Amino acid sequence: MPQLFAQVILPLSLHDSFTYKVPASLEKEVAPGKRVIVQFGKKKLYAALVISLSDKNPENMELKEVHEILDEHPIIFPVNFKLWQWLAQYYCCTLGDVFRAALPTGLKLESKSKLFLTGVDEPIDLSPKEELIIRHLQEDVSQLSDIEHKLGTEFSYKALRSLLDKKVVYAEEKISSKYKPKTEAFIKLHSSISSEKILNEKTDLLKRAKKQQQLLFHFCTVTNAFSDDQIQEIPKKELLLGTSFSGNLVKELVKKKILVERQKQVSRLEEETIDQVSINLLNKHQAKAYDEVKTTFEKQQVTLIHGITASGKTEIYIHLIDEIIKSGKQALYLVPEIALTTQIIKRLKNVFGNKVGIYHSKLNSQERVEIWEKVLQFNDDPKKGYQVVLGARSAVFLPFSKLGIIIVDEEHENSFKQFDPAPRYNARDMAVILGYQNNAKVLLGSATPSFESYYNALKGKYGLVNLTTRHSEMELPEILVADIKRAYKRKQMRSFLTPELYEMMVAALEKNEQIILFQNRRGYSPYVECFSCGDIPKCRNCDVSLTYHKYKRRLSCHYCGFSYQLPEKCDNCGSPELKTRGYGTEKIEDELKSLFRNARIARMDLDTTQSKNAFAKIVKNLEDRKTNILIGTQMVTKGLDFEHVSVVGILNADNLINFPDFRAHERAYQLISQVAGRAGRKHKQGKVIIQTSQPDHPLIELIREQNYQATLKEQFEERQLFKYPPYYRLVKIVVKHKNIQTVDRAADQLANQLKKYKQLVVMGPEYPLISRIQLWHHKEIWIKINRKLNLDLVKKEISSAVKTVKHLPSNSSCVFNIDVDPA
């Protein structure tokens, strides 16, 4: 029989796959999509992923063998790996980068893992090699690499895998936690008690231990021992709940071989019992849009639905998902922020029950592994696996096997873009490719679509459906503009509120209505300044001023996390005259408490939403009307639906409009329109106040008129003239080094190399707005690529130029990051 070879990829930034021999004993078990333990380098062991098998022996190579196979079944399907390959090729990154991004941390084992005993008391048949591992764990040797070293050739990964499967041990990574099954203590009768007669004899032996006897009686009662409806085992905490019995009594009965306590794996996922409700009927406008979506899907793989805020797009999504579920396929529902999952998961679970799973970054690594496995399970057992997944951008990597539809809600959001580390992908664009590869339909939805998506729809690449009427015929909010400059001159400002916004807030609070205020800056003040010498404290690692957080009394860098206590005196001149400048969400909250003493005020930003359930709590308090005023950053703009919000205030539109970026006007229009859409969604027309010192700015007028088409036309003309997307493609290259001279030299060399390709428009190198982050100096080169050019060939030229410059002796320690389609 010919020798079998496995091509594997490792969770390292390496372009290539690597070939290993498959021992004859493992040939029947090995398969593409399974993880295998391989040695890479002199000592290091990794869980690599098999991507293909071959009987061709690579020439002139000394190959190592696969140590063990970790999985009984593949953890990804061939169609999933196809997406990985596209991702690595399109975004100019390595397959190893994709491997690291795609798999949950708990599935990426390496030999730094630590092993722990689960504490199973019940006798289990163990092989000699399994007993060797147990003996070392009992001697407090828990580092996997130490056990490997001590046992030498006696160590077996197969034995270790068997112990993990039997739940005798669990593995945890030393540096970052790996997947550890959640266990719970269960109690049952000892196997020697096989009849009621033996049970009575054991009970009689406990006459002198009354408490133990009473506990045994209690156990027999709650489990209906030896009856037709006997419960074989019961959770220990459930057995002791509401009683005066202690865990020590259980231990005594276990010692006497009357009861058995064992650790049983349980799910971390909250599988609540939900009374499912019928799907809401669509109104005539939604029904028309739904039919149009269905029609366009007959001709197009991808459709863009341009539906104004509160038009009821989510109900259309639910009807489409319902149809997919009935056909036996899976649905993926992507949202840009975890905040959105709080409201939408409730709506999806109300309709589809426990067929729905949720996947995002606030879940711990163990929960992510369990969701991964439930999505995987759908292929073999649809009743146990997840059929609908609601998730943020990383959900595109889940191992779907029968994908029918992908819905990308708020598709314009740049939260779908991964910035660091590689792969620097856009989940919206990946969803389109995922749809083509799985023959699944893709629906992009937004009230303010990205200009690239709308351009594709106008060109016929995507289908286009418009939904221009709000649900229940509700009017769009009235948008008013308040001139900050004039209010300051007339001394009419109340803190940061213009008289127009202040009066509307007072009126809304009197009517018990709710208010949302938007300020895209967290913290108390953007910076602190010395009144005497003008010194502004800056981060020692980054070229930014430190933001003041009052509740911690600390100055913090929002880029690297560096912080220190606010000094009593200026570090430069010793003056005690330190003043805060500008205002962030924390300062707004602080000042509103003195302006509206009886109002209940909440804040939604990165500082208040660190914990797992913080989003849900803030949203629920607003829904239950426990909050009168909500202050927030971009998080409040992302499609949240609140019934009683009547006033929305944009506190400083100038920061958005004047940001130095070719997308600034597009983003400003989207952000302000989206946050404005939170007003007046159910009962009456809402009001939106835009505070600006440029009330006559053309974009402000377009926003006030809510004229998306005119904004689009104006921006398209500018972008075509200056060769920006959607007419040209962009690639950004960031050169990084801790020495500024090295960055300058390497960036100039790369720019000169790129300029040899005459068909490319090369801009730079230039320093970005923030040119030093975490001690690394940055310089950027931007490349404009005509859409008529072959993008694959252009990217090969770019990668070749980067490789040439990086391999120069003086540049070996430089970092070169390629970002395709930067946001």
Side-chain angles (χ1 to χ4, degrees):
M1 190 173 174
Q3 173 71 57
L4 192 63
F5 300 93
Q7 286 72 47
V8 306
I9 55 172
L10 294 148
L12 303 169
S13 291
L14 301 168
H15 281 280
D16 302 318
S17 61
F18 296 86
T19 304
Y20 287 81
K21 286 185 206 173
V22 180
S25 60
L26 299 179
E27 284 185 1
K28 288 183 180 178
E29 294 177 61
V30 72
K34 288 187 177 183
R35 291 172 304 149
V36 294
I37 294 293
V38 297
Q39 183 182 340
F40 189 73
K42 288 185 178 179
K43 295 180 181 178
K44 192 78 173 177
L45 291 158
Y46 287 96
L49 189 76
V50 178
I51 56 171
S52 63
L53 297 169
S54 170
D55 57 5
K56 291 182 181 177
N57 189 353
E59 294 179 5
N60 304 320
M61 288 180 69
E62 189 177 330
L63 300 179
K64 296 172 184 173
E65 284 195 340
V66 168
H67 281 244
E68 300 285 347
I69 296 169
L70 288 174
D71 304 303
E72 289 182 18
H73 306 285
I75 59 166
I76 67 165
F77 299 108
V79 71
N80 308 137
F81 184 65
K82 195 176 174 186
L83 181 71
W84 291 20
Q85 290 174 306
W86 176 86
L87 191 67
Q89 182 269 327
Y90 186 82
Y91 288 105
C92 299
C93 64
T94 70
L95 271 172
D97 290 330
V98 181
F99 183 9
R100 284 191 304 192
L103 255 60
T105 309
L107 292 178
K108 298 190 286 262
L109 296 171
E110 56 178 279
S111 55
K112 284 185 181 177
S113 296
K114 294 183 85 172
L115 300 176
F116 300 93
L117 293 168
T118 55
V120 176
D121 290 326
E122 190 174 12
I124 291 176
D125 290 332
L126 299 174
S127 70
K129 287 193 174 182
E130 288 172 353
E131 286 177 346
L132 271 174
I133 295 171
I134 295 293
R135 198 176 306 145
H136 277 77
L137 288 174
Q138 288 169 339
E139 292 170 5
D140 203 29
V141 180
S142 61
Q143 186 86 14
L144 178 52
S145 53
D146 291 344
I147 295 174
E148 287 174 318
H149 178 71
K150 282 179 179 277
L151 291 178
T153 57
E154 292 294 311
F155 179 80
S156 164
Y157 263 95
K158 192 169 186 178
L160 174 59
R161 188 70 202 170
S162 175
L163 289 171
L164 289 165
D165 289 342
K166 290 173 182 175
K167 311 297 183 290
V168 178
V169 302
Y170 64 86
E172 188 176 3
E173 218 276 339
K174 183 183 176 185
I175 298 166
S176 57
S177 61
K178 299 290 183 181
Y179 180 60
K180 180 175 70 175
K182 182 181 179 182
T183 59
E184 190 175 329
F186 277 73
I187 309 296
K188 66 176 183 177
L189 280 174
H190 196 276
S191 55
S192 62
I193 304 175
S194 55
S195 66
E196 199 167 350
K197 181 184 175 184
I198 299 171
L199 176 62
N200 289 334
E201 289 171 1
K202 294 283 186 183
T203 308
D204 290 340
L205 292 173
L206 295 173
K207 283 181 180 176
R208 290 188 178 181
K210 290 292 182 186
K211 272 284 187 183
Q212 292 176 34
Q213 190 182 57
Q214 287 168 11
L215 175 57
L216 183 56
F217 281 138
H218 175 64
F219 172 83
C220 294
T221 303
V222 295
T223 59
N224 300 315
F226 295 106
S227 65
D228 293 337
D229 56 348
Q230 178 181 355
I231 299 168
Q232 292 298 326
E233 59 184 1
I234 185 171
K236 182 177 176 180
K237 64 182 180 184
E238 189 179 318
L239 176 67
L240 302 179
L241 187 66
T243 70
S244 59
F245 302 123
S246 67
N248 287 331
L249 290 173
V250 176
K251 282 185 181 177
E252 290 301 318
L253 291 174
V254 168
K255 279 183 187 176
K256 292 173 180 176
K257 296 190 176 179
I258 296 172
L259 296 179
V260 170
E261 179 177 335
R262 77 179 187 106
Q263 295 293 322
K264 184 177 176 182
Q265 187 175 341
V266 294
S267 176
R268 291 179 171 82
L269 308 177
E270 296 175 11
E271 296 289 353
E272 54 198 303
T273 305
I274 295 169
D275 294 326
Q276 286 179 240
V277 297
S278 301
I279 297 179
N280 294 332
L281 292 174
L282 299 177
N283 65 31
K284 64 180 181 181
H285 305 291
Q286 291 170 323
K288 182 173 179 287
Y290 174 79
D291 291 339
E292 286 178 11
V293 168
K294 297 275 291 170
T295 303
T296 58
F297 274 159
E298 290 172 9
K299 300 173 186 176
Q300 303 273 20
Q301 197 82 30
V302 185
T303 293
L304 171 67
I305 181 166
H306 178 199
I308 61 171
T309 54
S311 56
K313 294 185 292 294
T314 307
E315 288 301 330
I316 294 172
Y317 302 157
I318 288 171
H319 277 256
L320 290 165
I321 291 169
D322 184 54
E323 191 173 285
I324 288 297
I325 285 177
K326 286 173 180 172
S327 71
K329 293 184 178 180
Q330 291 170 292
L332 171 60
Y333 191 140
L334 289 175
V335 290
E337 288 278 359
I338 310 160
L340 274 179
T341 63
T342 303
Q343 287 192 325
I344 296 171
I345 195 69
K346 195 187 299 179
R347 293 170 77 173
L348 291 179
K349 285 202 168 188
N350 280 343
V351 177
F352 305 119
N354 288 327
K355 291 177 182 175
V356 183
I358 183 169
Y359 192 79
H360 56 66
S361 61
K362 289 289 183 187
L363 299 171
N364 61 44
S365 61
Q366 289 92 342
E367 289 170 325
R368 288 203 213 181
V369 171
E370 290 190 20
I371 291 161
W372 186 280
E373 289 175 346
K374 290 205 77 170
V375 175
L376 199 66
Q377 198 174 14
F378 183 82
N379 187 51
D380 298 321
D381 191 348
K383 288 183 180 177
K384 290 185 179 177
Y386 282 142
Q387 195 166 5
V388 181
V389 175
L390 172 69
R393 62 174 179 256
S394 56
V396 292
F397 292 112
L398 286 166
F400 294 101
S401 52
K402 298 173 184 175
L403 202 54
I405 193 167
I406 306 167
I407 291 163
V408 186
D409 197 14
E410 309 295 345
E411 65 84 32
H412 65 278
E413 281 286 348
N414 69 339
S415 302
F416 282 124
K417 173 73 175 177
Q418 163 77 9
F419 292 96
D420 271 312
R424 295 170 181 83
Y425 65 95
N426 189 310
R428 177 198 65 212
D429 299 339
M430 271 184 69
V432 171
I433 300 300
L434 187 62
Y436 280 113
Q437 291 179 347
N438 288 265
N439 196 27
K441 300 301 180 186
V442 181
L443 183 64
L444 310 177
S446 176
T448 53
S450 65
F451 289 179
E452 285 88 343
S453 293
Y454 207 88
Y455 178 83
N456 285 334
L458 292 176
K459 291 293 179 184
K461 189 176 177 181
Y462 299 166
L464 178 62
V465 173
N466 291 300
L467 183 58
T468 56
T469 307
R470 277 189 147 195
H471 189 65
S472 303
E473 308 288 336
M474 182 60 62
E475 290 182 79
L476 281 166
E478 180 186 1
I479 298 181
L480 306 167
V481 179
D483 188 340
I484 296 176
K485 197 187 290 183
R486 187 179 66 179
Y488 269 117
K489 278 182 180 176
R490 296 181 177 183
K491 298 184 178 178
Q492 294 174 327
M493 293 290 289
R494 288 178 179 261
S495 183
F496 45 79
L497 302 176
T498 55
E500 295 93 334
L501 180 53
Y502 177 78
E503 286 162 16
M504 282 189 184
M505 289 176 69
V506 170
L509 292 171
E510 285 173 356
K511 296 172 189 173
N512 198 26
E513 293 169 348
Q514 293 171 309
I515 300 155
I516 290 178
L517 298 180
F518 169 65
Q519 168 68 354
N520 205 23
R521 193 184 290 276
R522 66 187 174 100
Y524 189 83
S525 293
Y527 63 96
V528 171
E529 184 180 13
C530 174
F531 197 69
S532 298
C533 71
D535 183 64
I536 297 170
K538 288 186 170 60
C539 177
R540 67 184 182 192
N541 306 318
C542 313
D543 282 339
V544 290
S545 56
L546 294 170
T547 302
Y548 176 51
H549 291 258
K550 188 181 178 183
Y551 75 104
K552 294 178 182 174
R553 274 196 65 79
R554 294 186 77 80
L555 294 169
S556 299
C557 174
H558 290 173
Y559 287 85
C560 71
F562 167 72
S563 74
Y564 63 88
Q565 204 73 20
L566 179 71
E568 296 293 327
K569 296 176 181 178
C570 173
D571 292 335
N572 186 53
C573 71
S575 168
E577 295 292 319
L578 293 174
K579 303 288 183 185
T580 60
R581 297 297 190 201
Y583 53 88
T585 49
E586 191 188 352
K587 185 173 184 178
I588 294 165
E589 180 186 25
D590 204 36
E591 298 208 10
L592 283 180
K593 284 175 181 174
S594 59
L595 283 172
F596 304 100
R597 294 186 182 277
N598 298 320
R600 290 162 296 184
I601 300 165
R603 178 161 51 97
M604 183 188 278
D605 58 26
L606 197 62
D607 297 321
T608 62
T609 53
Q610 295 285 354
S611 64
K612 183 176 175 181
N613 299 311
F615 275 120
K617 190 175 178 182
I618 293 168
V619 169
K620 189 167 190 326
N621 284 343
L622 203 69
E623 286 176 333
D624 296 343
R625 305 183 81 173
K626 292 178 182 175
T627 300
N628 303 121
I629 304 172
L630 177 67
I631 308 135
T633 55
Q634 286 191 41
M635 294 177 185
V636 300
T637 72
K638 320 249 172 167
L640 295 168
D641 185 2
F642 300 118
E643 192 172 343
H644 300 285
V645 173
S646 64
V647 174
V648 166
I650 289 94
L651 298 181
N652 190 349
D654 300 335
N655 285 347
L656 302 171
I657 295 168
N658 299 324
F659 193 76
D661 186 296
F662 77 92
R663 285 194 176 93
H665 284 191
E666 177 187 2
R667 294 254 168 82
Y669 185 92
Q670 288 166 343
L671 267 172
I672 295 172
S673 298
Q674 288 285 341
V675 75
R678 303 313 110 210
R681 295 173 70 89
K682 292 283 165 72
H683 301 297
K684 67 172 197 175
Q685 185 184 26
K687 292 188 185 294
V688 179
I689 299 286
I690 300 175
Q691 294 191 163
T692 174
S693 58
Q694 306 170 78
D696 299 324
H697 194 289
L699 184 66
I700 293 290
E701 185 59 26
L702 290 171
I703 293 169
R704 197 182 64 76
E705 293 172 357
Q706 300 180 63
N707 194 336
Y708 175 80
Q709 297 296 337
T711 308
L712 194 76
K713 184 175 182 294
E714 181 187 275
Q715 289 297 301
F716 273 2
E717 287 171 359
E718 275 191 24
R719 293 194 187 183
Q720 190 167 21
L721 181 64
F722 293 106
K723 298 181 179 178
Y724 280 111
Y727 299 97
Y728 273 64
R729 296 183 185 276
L730 284 180
V731 173
K732 178 176 77 172
I733 302 175
V734 181
V735 183
K736 299 197 290 186
H737 196 274
K738 290 187 177 180
N739 182 294
I740 193 165
Q741 286 80 24
T742 304
V743 168
D744 287 339
R745 184 190 62 248
D748 286 340
Q749 289 169 341
L750 179 56
N752 292 333
Q753 190 75 20
L754 289 167
K755 285 171 184 174
K756 291 178 183 177
Y757 306 114
K758 300 298 181 186
Q759 72 271 39
L760 303 181
V761 179
V762 180
M763 300 185 297
E766 286 294 339
Y767 292 109
L769 272 177
I770 298 162
S771 60
R772 188 174 62 114
I773 298 174
Q774 295 179 341
L775 299 177
W776 288 80
H777 295 277
H778 292 58
K779 217 163 187 183
E780 294 180 352
I781 298 168
W782 287 68
I783 304 163
K784 296 176 180 177
I785 304 165
N786 193 315
R787 284 188 173 270
K788 293 175 184 176
L789 296 175
N790 184 313
L791 185 62
D792 288 341
L793 290 176
V794 170
K795 284 189 291 188
K796 280 180 184 175
E797 290 174 347
I798 291 170
S799 297
S800 174
V802 169
K803 198 172 181 181
T804 300
V805 174
K806 184 173 175 58
H807 286 172
L808 293 172
S810 54
N811 297 336
S812 59
S813 55
C814 273
V815 174
F816 296 82
N817 290 339
I818 301 174
D819 188 358
V820 180
D821 301 335

